[in-house]
Amino acid sequence: MVEKNIKVTLKSGLQARPAAIFVQEATNYVSDVYIEKEGRRVNAKSIMGIMGLAIHSGADIKLIIDGSDELEALKTLEKLL
């Protein structure tokens, strides 16, 4: 399991289109992928879960990945944020 605290730098945050792109990329990995914000953790392969967190630009989140390809997933997904 890998965890990394990340500050979201996307201008629009992780809303609509950026969230859809993130989910599409996350589903390419076997590992379980979660995003945690303010103590609330959601499955990052769920567009509704991510949208429910209302992640804005400058938000501090934690990316949590657990599985056989976790390091590759972390490297790729972190770039999207």
Side-chain angles (χ1 to χ4, degrees):
M1 179 186 300
V2 293
E3 298 182 6
K4 184 155 189 182
N5 292 318
I6 298 170
K7 182 175 284 289
V8 177
T9 58
L10 292 169
K11 185 176 181 179
S12 64
L14 202 53
Q15 304 298 320
R17 187 173 301 265
I21 292 168
F22 187 90
V23 168
Q24 286 176 345
E25 191 62 39
T27 58
N28 289 330
Y29 296 98
V30 175
S31 297
D32 294 325
V33 182
Y34 300 97
I35 293 178
E36 189 173 286
K37 178 184 172 207
E38 298 172 355
R40 189 164 162 233
R41 182 183 292 191
V42 299
N43 182 343
K45 295 180 181 182
S46 163
I47 188 77
M48 295 307 290
I50 291 176
M51 296 295 291
L53 290 179
I55 300 169
H56 56 83
S57 183
D60 292 313
I61 64 168
K62 183 185 288 185
L63 190 57
I64 303 156
I65 307 172
D66 187 23
S68 60
D69 54 0
E70 62 192 23
L71 295 177
E72 181 185 345
L74 177 63
K75 182 178 173 183
T76 302
L77 296 173
E78 181 181 12
K79 291 178 185 177
L80 296 175
L81 298 170

